[in-house]
């Protein structure tokens, strides 16, 4: 049977009646103090509940896991209550929602860290980039990232427990599942990529060792909430935040073949031609080849994201490249994106100046169709 955007699909125990998912989107608008989802955040997700599945913005699993101003967490009871109000609103509209679990690793700053310490990473190698911090007057500013401290084995094990606790909290918050963020140059991706992982113990060296942390996190989270409520997001060949791997086909192929038998809700990949949010027009045949290979290695539900339009999404589904498509920026500006795509209607364009931080403007005031 040919797959298309408006055909039904089963995702773990969830029956979705179409395939337009909302990609995870950091919006940096959690209430302060405490990085707690607020009534304004509830309204934002409620407006977007017609997505086949909402994947929440990246949500830190611990204080140590935070790297940007005003991002929400899932490690305090206030945060669990805040997210429960979000999931209740989405469910009341007939929607479904997974919470994206996030640890930024080295992409952080002492202002976010417990006791003002150094951020953690596989190796003491700095990020070639900046992160969005809060200055003494409470304003968001881009700040340099210090050289991180390399994690000890005990430190790695403690973070696995933080993932487990965060997954449990996501269930208490009424989420339908969790997506483990293992892409975009954050902690788990820092372990996966040879560029940022120079360890010589069992968590560094060959692809199997570099994948170990992610696979142990997946095992812990699956044991906590069940495989059908778990997914993983990877950005194979992504170069955001200084990522790079000597053998991406082997590394990501290994990871996907390890994930395949676990019967997860879905596997989420970002098109390798996306650098952050920019499509790299310098066509590289390895991009297509790696997706092709990973698709062949993964018999379960495969979600793809990255620069999709109605037309390219339909092509990807028809060809079997993907089973479900996640849209990011189009969902920021079009709360009723599925209806617009189904009717082939015009889309609102988003204002990049209000993507990160601020209030209701550029957040909950994008109009639905009349
Ligand atoms: C993102 N993206 C992203 N990815 C992720 O895994 N977790 C996150 O929290 C975020 N946050 C985020 C914020 C904003 C403002 C943008 C634009 C993007 C990446 C996003 O999920 C998606 O992969 C890209 O935006 C590409 O898809 P589109 O926008 O071309 O459909």
């Amino acid at each position: 049977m040919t797959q298309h955007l408006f055909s039904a699909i089963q995702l773990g125990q969830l029956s979705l009646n179409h395939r337009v998912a909302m990609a995870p989107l950091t919006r940096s608008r959690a209430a302060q103090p405490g990085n707690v989802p607020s009534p304004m955040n509830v309204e934002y997700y409620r407006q977007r509940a017609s997505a086949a599945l909402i994947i929440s913005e990246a949500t830190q699993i611990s204080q140590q896991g935070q790297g940007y101003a005003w991002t929400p967490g899932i490690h305090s009871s206030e945060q669990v209550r805040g997210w429960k109000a979000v999931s209740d609103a989405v469910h009341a509209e007939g929607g479904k929602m997974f919470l994206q679990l996030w640890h930024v690793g080295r992409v952080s700053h002492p202002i976010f860290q417990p006791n003002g310490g150094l951020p953690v990473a596989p190796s003491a190698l700095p990020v070639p980039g900046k992160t969005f911090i809060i200055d003494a007057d409470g304003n968001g500013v881009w700040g340099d990232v210090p050289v991180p401290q390399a994690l000890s084995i005990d430190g790695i094990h403690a973070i696995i427990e933080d993932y487990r606790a965060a997954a449990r909290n996501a269930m208490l918050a009424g989420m339908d599942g969790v997506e483990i963020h293992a892409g975009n140059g954050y902690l788990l991706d820092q372990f996966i990529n040879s560029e940022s992982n120079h360890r010589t113990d069992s968590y560094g060296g060959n692809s199997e060792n570099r994948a170990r942390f992610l696979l142990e996190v997946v095992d812990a989270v699956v044991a906590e909430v069940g495989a059908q409520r778990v997914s993983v997001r990877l950005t194979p060949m992504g170069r955001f935040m200084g990522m790079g791997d000597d053998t991406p086909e082997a590394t990501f192929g290994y990871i996907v073949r390890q994930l395949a038998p676990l019967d997860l809700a879905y596997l989420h990949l970002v098109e390798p031609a996306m650098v952050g949010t920019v499509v790299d027009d310098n066509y590289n045949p390895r991009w297509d080849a790696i997706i092709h290979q990973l698709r062949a290695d993964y018999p379960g539900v495969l979600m793809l994201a990255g620069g999709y339009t109605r037309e390219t999404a339909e092509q990807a589904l028809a060809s079997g490249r993907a089973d479900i498509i996640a849209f990011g920026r189009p969902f920021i500006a079009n709360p009723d994106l599925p209806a617009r795509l189904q009717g082939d209607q015009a889309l609102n364009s988003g204002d990049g100046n209000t993507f990160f931080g601020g209030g209701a403007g550029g957040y909950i005031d994008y109009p639905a169709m009349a």
Side-chain angles (χ1 to χ4, degrees):
M1 199 188 79
T2 321
Q3 312 192 103
H4 54 91
L5 269 179
F6 293 91
S7 58
I9 184 170
Q10 192 72 21
L11 216 110
Q13 279 147 8
L14 301 179
S15 305
L16 310 184
N17 51 17
H18 64 84
R19 301 174 185 222
V20 181
M22 178 173 165
L25 293 160
T26 291
R27 304 301 308 276
S28 304
R29 284 169 167 87
Q32 303 305 316
N35 300 316
V36 178
S38 72
M40 183 175 76
N41 305 142
V42 171
E43 175 59 13
Y44 166 76
Y45 284 111
R46 191 195 62 74
Q47 290 175 350
R48 287 158 181 77
S50 67
L53 176 74
I54 293 176
I55 302 148
S56 81
E57 64 205 283
T59 299
Q60 58 260 7
I61 59 166
S62 62
Q63 184 59 58
Q64 185 195 61
Q66 184 178 3
Y68 295 83
W70 312 308
T71 55
I74 187 71
H75 52 90
S76 76
S77 50
E78 291 77 17
Q79 291 162 349
V80 171
R81 269 199 295 280
W83 281 120
K84 180 70 166 59
V86 172
S87 75
D88 283 348
V90 168
H91 289 149
E93 300 285 333
K96 315 267 195 292
M97 184 164 188
F98 271 39
L99 191 80
Q100 195 186 45
L101 302 181
W102 195 26
H103 190 306
V104 297
R106 67 182 184 172
V107 188
S108 186
H109 189 278
I111 66 157
F112 298 120
Q113 294 297 308
N115 308 315
L118 284 175
V120 299
S123 305
L125 298 167
V127 190
K130 291 179 184 278
T131 190
F132 199 62
I133 65 171
I134 306 166
D135 70 12
D137 300 323
N139 299 312
V141 290
W142 290 98
D144 286 321
V145 174
V147 178
Q149 52 177 322
L151 277 163
S152 65
I153 300 272
D154 282 350
I156 291 173
H157 290 164
I159 293 172
I160 293 171
E161 292 313 308
D162 289 340
Y163 274 101
R164 189 196 304 275
R168 184 163 57 233
N169 282 343
M171 295 301 108
L172 291 174
M175 294 290 160
D176 296 299
V178 293
E179 178 174 288
I180 297 167
H181 191 354
N184 287 356
Y186 299 115
L187 182 66
L188 296 170
D189 209 20
Q190 291 159 26
F191 271 79
I192 292 168
N193 282 270
S194 55
E195 189 80 21
S196 46
N197 182 343
H198 292 187
R199 298 177 75 94
T200 54
D201 62 7
S202 59
Y203 290 92
N206 60 27
S207 300
E208 288 80 353
N209 281 356
R210 284 184 274 113
R212 187 178 311 282
F213 190 14
L214 166 63
L215 297 174
E216 289 180 352
V217 166
V218 172
D219 281 348
V221 170
V222 164
E224 192 63 40
V225 306
Q228 304 249 299
R229 295 179 188 276
V230 177
S231 65
V232 173
R233 191 177 218 217
L234 297 168
T235 51
M237 298 185 79
R239 280 158 293 153
F240 189 60
M241 291 290 176
M243 289 299 96
D245 192 49
D246 291 343
T247 57
E249 290 85 356
T251 301
F252 288 93
Y254 171 75
I255 292 171
V256 167
R257 288 191 302 277
Q258 296 301 302
L259 296 177
L262 300 183
D263 204 19
L264 302 178
Y266 62 94
L267 172 67
H268 191 174
L269 303 177
V270 182
E271 292 283 351
M274 292 299 288
V275 181
T277 57
V278 182
V279 176
D280 188 336
D281 295 323
N282 238 330
Y283 178 75
N284 181 338
R286 280 175 90 183
W287 293 335
D288 268 344
I290 198 165
I291 289 291
H292 201 75
Q293 176 208 323
L294 298 180
R295 165 80 276 189
D297 284 338
Y298 197 78
V301 174
L302 183 67
M303 181 184 291
L304 286 181
Y308 275 101
T309 62
R310 178 181 188 267
E311 196 183 359
T312 58
E314 290 289 16
Q315 285 164 3
L317 294 174
S319 70
R321 183 181 178 92
D323 302 309
I324 178 166
I325 303 293
F327 294 83
R329 288 161 293 177
F331 254 114
I332 291 180
N334 298 276
D336 55 347
L337 184 67
R340 289 181 192 241
L341 295 182
Q342 189 163 25
D344 205 8
Q345 299 294 310
L347 301 185
N348 303 322
S349 51
D351 175 6
N353 294 318
T354 52
F355 279 3
F356 301 104
Y363 189 56
I364 53 171
D365 59 353
Y366 285 108
M369 289 186 295

